[in-house]
Each structure stands twice: as structure tokens, then as C-alpha cells.
Amino acid sequence: MENWSVEQVCNWLKQRNLGELVPKFREEEVSGAALLALNDRMVQQLVKKIGHQAVLMDLIKKYQQQKSGLESLTYCCETASQKFPEVISGKNLKSFFTRYKTLQWTCSYTLPDFPYDVKCILAEKKCPDHSMRIRIIEFLQADMTKYLEGSLYPNSQQYNIVVNALLQAYPFLDEDGNGFLLWKRALKDRFKYVRRPIEDDEQVLRNKCKFGHRRGQTRKSVFAENKLNDVQGQVEEEPAHLKGSTMDLHIRWLNQEYMKTHRNWEEVDNRMNVTIKIRRKMISDKAPLKDILRQFPFLRCPYQIFREFQLLTHMDIYKKTVEILEIYSENILSLYVVRNNPINIMLQENLKQHTEEDVLKYMKMTAACLLLPEVFGDDSSLFAAVNEEVKAVTPVLEVKNPFNMNSCEFALYIEREELAQLDDCTMALAALVAAFHVFNIPCPKRIHRTLNFLESLVFEVRNPASLP
């Protein structure tokens, strides 16, 4: 890059969607050497938009880091070849580079340069909301994948180092000392979520086959295809009163965006905000659930279910659910009424096979979640179907292999149809409670006490319901 001409720099800008900057760079005769010498003040003079400033500085910084790492690696190879010529020759050269690169980023890992809006939230030293946490996790996952040369299977040490780096840089993210486990679990879940739809990566397929994912993957692929067919049939089936209106344009855009692999989530949020009145009217008028989901397919996404709940109640249900399970899990598991329950017995057997603290905590939270109806004497079949077929019409969870870290599956069902795939027990429980409010579904009497307990904690009732 140092030897680039002005035209080469301009071409480089166009390739990175920064074509608006080309005239100014030509006017100022910014060559490759000048580009690398730019500081913050110069960039502000050259570039007017803050977003373009952030992107440009990020690209320059990454190039400089790569250059520095390459020089360090070259020096290391030269030194090693002088001391151990037999190690650094022939077949061992590639493995040496791989080991060195892994060791280099593991020992001196630096956080990625987050987008501007994330930086602003972190600069305020406020705990981010659910959507912002997801963005942070997405950037960490992408950064780790880059350093792992495309691998989607980090080891435990690499997870620990990345989460430690995050909490050292932003101590306020360590929520009451539990932040490490929460962020590590979220990062692991993100890798799991990314691996789930992959069908052409040898390493992913090998592990799916090894841990029994193949059958589940086929089912999910069929489900995704069915959802896509529903959305594609949407245009012909829209109600007449929407055609030609502004709302119609928003709904058409949402349906088209839902079919994309990479979605503009910020615009999705904006258009879901704009269309909330017509959506709430359809729900209050008892429109069929299938019609509602045809108009607003993003309600199949857990994030949008949580967001809709927050728009209605001003409560972050996911955050509240995490707090509930962390506070009450041990108490629930210690109750006499659940001692001989099959789920508790299954939990105890699986706890013996693991030693990692965060894995044990995750298993206990899962068991506590599934045992809640038993604690209150409610009908558990209206709450979760564990390794069984869903029979309830009202919102209910489908749970498969709850204590198998590699093949556990959570899904939310309504009217015996799968609505959404969920990452873990916390997201599943939050989605279950939220679904009753979002879709205005009356709570069955046989599960009323369990949901009343959860809702009293979510809504911070002055005298919340307590465990029996």
C-alpha cells in the first residue's frame, strides 16, 4: 500500500464502498504513503461524514496491525531458523506459521474496532440493551473467526481470553461479578448459531455427524424452506385494505427483507415501529396467527418478539429472565417436590460428566426452567415438551436433549406450529412469557401459577409471587 498511486488509492476506496471520498482524495493527491500517514485530524478535514471517518480509520488501523504482525512473524521465523533449522524447514513450515499465529493472537489479543454506535454506548459506560449486546457478540465472533482462519470451533482458552479482554476494557459489563459467564455463554451460542445452517463446511459437517446434528439440520432446513414459501405467497394474499397504502409499502419491504440472508436490522426495527398500530389491531381483532405472520414474518425472530414486548410494556424481558434464573435456580433445584423428578435425575447424571463451571451453571438453569411447573403444581405439558411431541395449542416450548451441550434444541410453538428457534433455556423462557403478551393469548388455568410467578418478577410487582 505504501507504493500505491493516487488512482490506486481511489480504486481501493471504491472497492470498500467509499466512492464518495474519491473526488476529495484526488484533489488532495492522497497516495498510498499519504493514506497511511493520516491522523484523526487529517481524516476529519478530508471526510465529512462520521460514519466514513470511522470506516476509513478502521481500515488504516487494520492494515497497520497486519503489517506489524507480519514483520514480527518474519523476525520470529528468522530467529527460529537460526536456532532450530530442522524445525522451520520443509513440512514443518506451515504448521509453525499456524502455531505461531494462534499463539500470537492468544497471548496478545486486542478487541476489534467496534462500529461507531457501539463505541458511543460503551463510552457512556452503561450496560447495553439486548440488541446492542447481540451486536457486540457478533463483532467478537467475526473477529475470532478471522484470527482462527475461518474455523468456527474456538477452544475454551480462546473464549476465556476474548471475554477477559472485553471485561478488562469495559469493566462495567461485568454485571455484579456474573458478566464473564454470561458473555462467554453468549459468545458460544453465537458460534453455535452461525454453525447451525452451514451445509458445505467439512469441519462443521464432521462435528454435526459426530454429535448427532444431521437429523436436526434436515428438519430445520425443511422448516426454513416452508417459511420462505409462506412469505413468497404473501404478495397475492395481502388484505385489500392495505393495497396501495404507505403501510403496504412497509409490509412489502419487511417481507422482502425477511427472505434475505443478510438483513438490515436497523431498518427492520424502524419499519416494525411504523407498522405496530396495524399489527396490534390485527392481533386485538383476533386475526388468525398465520395471517399475522404472513404480514409480519419478523415476529418469528426471538429478537423481534422481545422488542415487541418491550414496545408494549417498556420491559427488557430477556434481561429479566436471566436475573430470574440466576437468582432462583439453586432454590428450585433444592425443593423436595422436584427431588425425584425425571428432569432432576437427568440433570444429576449429566452434571457428573462435566467440570466447567459455566457448563454446570447452564445445566442447572435449564433444569430449573423446565421444573417450574412442577414446583407450582401446574401442568408441565402446557409449559414444555421435553423430548416429546408438542400437543398444546397455546404457546409452549419444545426441548430436545436439554443437557447435551452439542445437540440441545429449544423452539417456541404456537398452535402446534414452530414459531422460532431459540438458543438456550433463558431465551426460550423469555420467548414463552413474551408470546402470551405479544399475540394476546389468554393464559391457560393449568399453567397460571407458573406464569403469574414469572410475570410478577418481570413486571417488578411490589409483592411478587414467591416459590411455594
Side-chain angles (χ1 to χ4, degrees):
M1 184 180 281
E2 293 92 335
N3 299 323
W4 283 2
S5 65
V6 175
E7 280 306 313
Q8 286 176 310
V9 170
C10 292
N11 291 334
W12 178 77
L13 291 171
K14 290 176 184 177
Q15 292 170 2
R16 281 150 183 80
N17 297 321
L18 295 173
E20 294 179 26
L21 310 182
V22 169
K24 188 65 176 176
F25 272 62
R26 280 188 179 138
E27 180 186 343
E28 299 293 337
E29 297 184 356
V30 180
S31 63
L35 178 67
L36 295 176
L38 292 176
N39 57 32
D40 292 348
R41 185 178 58 80
M42 294 176 183
V43 170
Q44 289 171 6
Q45 290 176 345
L46 272 172
V47 183
K48 298 303 180 186
K49 293 182 180 179
I50 293 177
H52 287 168
Q53 292 175 12
V55 172
L56 184 61
M57 290 302 297
D58 179 57
L59 291 170
I60 295 172
K61 181 179 177 182
K62 285 181 178 177
Y63 177 82
Q64 291 171 338
Q65 287 176 345
Q66 290 173 359
K67 180 185 175 186
S68 175
L70 184 60
E71 290 173 351
S72 174
L73 180 58
T74 304
Y75 172 78
C76 178
C77 291
E78 290 173 353
T79 306
S81 62
Q82 293 170 4
K83 294 182 178 180
F84 311 103
E86 71 284 355
V87 174
I88 221 67
S89 60
K91 296 180 181 179
N92 294 329
L93 184 60
K94 184 176 180 181
S95 62
F96 174 81
F97 271 78
T98 304
R99 286 198 304 272
Y100 176 79
K101 189 170 184 179
T102 302
L103 181 64
Q104 185 188 39
W105 89 262
T106 301
C107 295
S108 57
Y109 178 77
T110 55
L111 291 171
D113 196 9
F114 291 116
Y116 181 75
D117 58 334
V118 177
K119 287 181 181 178
C120 291
I121 294 295
L122 295 175
E124 293 175 3
K125 296 185 177 180
K126 294 180 180 179
C127 287
D129 60 16
H130 180 64
S131 61
M132 192 58 66
R133 289 171 70 95
I134 290 175
R135 291 205 68 196
I136 294 171
I137 287 296
E138 285 176 347
F139 272 86
L140 289 177
Q141 179 266 321
D143 194 56
M144 288 181 71
T145 303
K146 177 187 72 175
Y147 279 108
L148 291 168
E149 295 183 338
S151 172
L152 295 174
Y153 290 94
N155 60 39
S156 184
Q157 181 190 12
Q158 289 163 339
Y159 280 120
N160 292 343
I161 286 169
V162 171
V163 175
N164 274 327
L166 179 68
L167 297 185
Q168 285 176 7
Y170 308 104
F172 58 90
L173 296 179
D174 190 5
E175 304 166 11
D176 300 324
N178 296 320
F180 179 85
L181 296 177
L182 293 176
W183 285 98
K184 183 177 179 182
R185 168 52 51 193
L187 191 55
K188 283 186 172 182
D189 288 342
R190 178 63 192 174
F191 270 97
K192 183 178 177 182
Y193 176 80
V194 171
R195 292 193 299 262
R196 182 176 287 169
I198 293 176
E199 298 180 357
D200 57 357
D201 185 279
E202 291 184 8
Q203 186 184 11
V204 174
L205 290 177
R206 192 162 53 246
N207 279 274
K208 283 182 178 181
C209 183
K210 180 178 178 181
F211 295 109
H213 278 231
R214 179 174 292 174
R215 183 178 179 183
Q217 178 65 28
T218 302
R219 185 181 68 82
K220 288 171 190 169
S221 299
V222 172
F223 173 66
E225 185 178 347
N226 290 339
K227 285 201 296 184
L228 183 61
N229 291 337
D230 286 345
V231 174
Q232 288 172 335
Q234 158 65 18
V235 177
E236 289 91 13
E237 299 180 22
E238 285 180 352
H241 71 277
L242 288 176
K243 290 183 179 179
S245 67
T246 305
M247 288 296 170
D248 177 45
L249 296 177
H250 290 307
I251 291 172
R252 284 177 183 274
W253 186 92
L254 287 168
N255 279 273
Q256 291 169 0
E257 193 70 11
Y258 184 74
M259 290 187 282
K260 295 180 181 178
T261 305
H262 301 288
R263 297 158 179 166
N264 183 349
W265 286 107
E266 184 177 355
E267 186 63 21
V268 168
D269 291 348
N270 292 336
R271 302 212 183 210
M272 290 293 281
N273 285 350
V274 172
T275 57
I276 188 169
K277 287 185 178 180
I278 190 168
R279 186 164 59 254
R280 299 317 306 169
K281 187 176 188 309
M282 289 180 69
I283 292 172
S284 63
D285 290 345
K286 306 296 182 184
L289 180 64
K290 289 184 178 180
D291 291 347
I292 296 168
L293 294 176
R294 282 197 191 100
Q295 299 294 325
F296 303 100
F298 278 100
L299 287 179
R300 293 182 180 274
C301 302
Y303 161 68
Q304 284 299 331
I305 295 176
F306 298 155
R307 194 170 177 279
E308 188 91 351
F309 182 90
Q310 191 164 15
L311 290 173
L312 295 173
T313 65
H314 305 290
M315 290 288 178
D316 186 341
I317 191 168
Y318 182 81
K319 182 178 179 181
K320 290 290 182 183
T321 307
V322 171
E323 294 171 358
I324 292 169
L325 288 179
E326 287 186 340
I327 293 171
Y328 288 93
S329 290
E330 294 291 346
N331 292 337
I332 291 170
L333 295 176
S334 65
L335 293 174
Y336 180 79
V337 70
V338 303
R339 184 172 299 175
N340 296 321
N341 188 280
I343 290 176
N344 198 16
I345 293 171
M346 196 189 311
L347 169 69
Q348 301 306 322
E349 292 174 353
N350 281 274
L351 288 177
K352 299 173 184 176
Q353 302 173 17
H354 298 274
T355 56
E356 291 186 23
E357 185 178 348
D358 59 329
V359 174
L360 301 179
K361 181 179 178 180
Y362 172 81
M363 287 184 173
K364 289 179 180 178
M365 289 172 65
T366 302
C369 169
L370 299 177
L371 288 169
L372 269 173
E374 298 294 333
V375 171
F376 289 94
D378 283 338
D379 186 347
S380 59
S381 68
L382 297 178
F383 186 83
V386 182
N387 294 329
E388 294 178 356
E389 182 183 354
V390 171
K391 298 178 181 179
V393 177
T394 52
V396 66
L397 300 176
E398 182 195 54
V399 185
K400 294 186 177 180
N401 308 317
F403 305 114
N404 187 323
M405 303 302 293
N406 297 305
S407 62
C408 58
E409 295 179 11
F410 297 85
L412 175 64
Y413 274 68
I414 301 180
E415 297 180 0
R416 299 192 184 93
E417 295 289 337
E418 185 173 330
L419 182 76
Q421 292 282 331
L422 307 160
D423 290 344
D424 54 32
C425 67
T426 308
M427 183 179 285
L429 185 58
L432 178 67
V433 177
F436 281 97
H437 290 266
V438 169
F439 296 104
N440 196 21
I441 298 172
C443 172
K445 289 183 178 179
R446 288 182 293 159
I447 200 70
H448 174 73
R449 283 170 291 192
T450 302
L451 291 179
N452 181 54
F453 167 73
L454 293 168
E455 289 177 354
S456 68
L457 295 172
V458 169
F459 292 114
E460 300 177 348
V461 176
R462 182 170 295 179
N463 296 311
S466 58
L467 293 173

